[in-house]
Amino acid sequence: MNVLKTLILGGPLGLAHAVREARVARRLRRVATLMDRERALHREHMAQLRAELDALQSRQISSTARAASFWKGLS
């Protein structure tokens, strides 16, 4: 029904324009969806990297504390 109305009001040129606009709108939605997925994946990766960084920092702190305790015990 909408195609017929477009064809009647705008003729073939109007129909071509409507098809082009619909295609652009569909691609806009697709790109926005892909960007949202990529953003979510990026957040997930960053959370994993932060957890790994925290674990490494904790190991570094405990290693430094053990070394300090060792050297203090030798004096």
Side-chain angles (χ1 to χ4, degrees), residues 11-56:
L13 190 60
L15 183 60
H17 178 72
V19 169
R20 203 171 318 128
E21 289 292 317
R23 188 179 307 136
V24 169
R26 186 175 61 245
R27 290 193 67 201
L28 280 170
R29 285 191 306 272
R30 179 168 162 70
V31 169
T33 300
L34 291 174
M35 286 178 67
D36 289 341
R37 288 179 189 167
E38 190 65 30
R39 195 174 298 117
L41 185 62
H42 174 73
R43 281 194 295 265
E44 182 181 327
H45 286 164
M46 289 303 294
Q48 290 172 352
L49 289 171
R50 278 191 209 100
E52 185 177 351
L53 181 64
D54 290 345
L56 288 170

Side-chain angles (χ1 to χ4, degrees), residues 52-68:
E52 185 177 351
L53 181 64
D54 290 345
L56 288 170
Q57 286 174 336
S58 177
R59 285 177 59 190
Q60 184 181 35
I61 290 169
S62 72
S63 176
T64 302
R66 282 195 313 271

